[in-house]
Amino acid sequence: MYANSTGRYADLDKEYSPTKNSKRFLNTAQPDIVVIEQFLKITTEQTQNARKKYIVRESVTYRKNNFNASTVDNQVVDIYYKDKEHGSPIFVYIHGGYWQELDRHTSGSFVEPLVEQGYRVIAADYNLCPTVTLHGINEQINDFYEWLFRYANDTQASKISISGHSAGAYLSTLLFNKRIENWPGTERIVSFFLISGIFDLRECWSLPSVNPMNILNLDETSSKALSPICWELDLEFIEFAKRVNLQVYVIAAENDSDTFKGQSLAYAKKLEKHGLQIEFKIFQGYDHFDIIEDVPIKNSLINTYLLEKCINV
């Protein structure tokens, strides 16, 4: 479906396995293992440092529906800020992990650069498969968005930016086919950052490397129904986005697979076709993981880009 640069269809297991496309640690016996270990180490340290340096309200629930009390419930957010929680802009980060891994304890990479610019940073968590299905995660994130806009309205946020990485970028798109213009607080949205996202599940849902033992609970029909590339954008959302001059930044890494880059480009074109303000950019030198690791590193490519887009909107 997404041909590689030579025009041939690629090894899908590799194309949908971000660890196998990094150019780092090639002198090690298992570079794909080392790259994810490095990612977990760095993002955990960044989160721990953020918790030590700033005020953080941990495990604030957004849960709307009942959840199995015998299971840990991750329908929560951590809210980071420096001086005040009211009146400041909000930056949301939704983690990736193929809906199966990671959590808010590795979601602190954006905190320092944005809190230092006067933002509150909200690290959103959710329950993982197979505790819930992918459809169930989508429902949880929709509940999160309702909470977010109430919270933004109640605390008089000056503006809202929403970002997601990989599967988190997918979850960031859930608003694009919803009628949100009448929700209090939605007029504060100014931008989305979709980073190395996956937007089409139709050729990967059956891959054991992506969906082992079908823990996402998908089939051919549902994988299409749950693919943002296949969704009809809500017409009222489109008009709302135009009215507020919503900016959508679709970002990929040079060393993402051809398929990941192709999906990002295809999704950017889909949004642009509907008249949304889109910027598509491939960051040279980065892979699927260090594009997040480098966010707090001052003057790095991704740090500079992020702050420029946030400050100028």
Side-chain angles (χ1 to χ4, degrees), residues 24 37-47 109 293:
R24 295 183 291 155
E37 290 177 343
Q38 176 80 348
F39 178 75
L40 293 171
K41 178 178 181 292
I42 289 177
T43 56
T44 298
E45 289 174 352
Q46 290 169 344
T47 305
S109 303
E293 294 168 18

Side-chain angles (χ1 to χ4, degrees), residues 46-239:
Q46 290 169 344
T47 305
Q48 291 172 343
N49 290 338
R51 288 181 170 180
K52 293 175 183 176
K53 189 171 183 178
Y54 303 109
I55 301 169
V56 55
R57 285 211 291 134
E58 296 185 45
S59 302
V60 178
T61 185
Y62 63 80
R63 183 180 64 243
K64 191 174 179 181
N65 300 312
N66 291 330
F67 191 73
N68 186 347
S70 66
T71 306
V72 174
D73 182 18
N74 287 324
Q75 295 177 78
V76 296
V77 303
D78 290 345
I79 306 170
Y80 297 83
Y81 55 99
K82 190 173 186 179
D83 298 315
K84 59 180 182 177
E85 194 171 351
H86 286 246
S88 54
I90 290 172
F91 187 93
V92 172
Y93 176 68
I94 305 175
H95 69 80
Y98 263 139
W99 310 281
Q100 303 162 47
E101 299 177 303
L102 306 181
D103 57 27
R104 65 193 180 281
H105 303 295
T106 55
S107 297
S109 303
F110 291 79
V111 174
E112 182 173 6
L114 287 160
V115 168
E116 289 298 325
Q117 296 297 324
Y119 277 77
R120 283 170 277 174
V121 174
I122 297 177
D125 214 339
Y126 47 91
N127 292 307
L128 301 174
C129 298
T131 302
V132 293
T133 64
L134 176 55
H135 176 76
I137 292 175
N138 289 357
E139 291 300 308
Q140 290 183 7
I141 295 298
N142 282 327
D143 291 345
F144 160 70
Y145 286 132
E146 290 190 37
W147 172 89
L148 171 66
F149 296 125
R150 288 195 304 272
Y151 169 77
N153 198 53
D154 291 345
T155 59
Q156 294 298 296
S158 55
K159 57 185 179 181
I160 303 169
S161 294
I162 296 173
S163 72
H165 173 235
S166 197
Y170 166 101
L171 295 170
S172 299
T173 70
L174 296 180
L175 289 174
F176 293 175
N177 69 337
K178 296 185 73 68
R179 298 186 175 185
I180 66 171
E181 67 279 357
N182 294 324
W183 293 3
T186 55
E187 73 282 356
R188 304 174 197 272
I189 303 176
V190 296
S191 59
F192 282 81
F193 295 85
L194 309 180
I195 306 171
S196 293
I198 180 167
F199 308 106
D200 190 343
L201 309 179
R202 288 174 292 175
E203 66 180 10
C204 69
W205 71 270
S206 60
L207 298 176
S209 57
V210 174
N211 186 20
M213 300 182 67
N214 197 20
I215 67 172
L216 302 179
N217 194 28
L218 295 175
D219 57 26
E220 186 172 355
T221 300
S222 60
S223 66
K224 180 179 180 180
L226 290 172
S227 292
I229 200 75
C230 300
W231 296 342
E232 291 294 330
L233 271 66
D234 182 79
L235 295 178
E236 292 188 24
F237 173 83
I238 294 170
E239 293 306 311

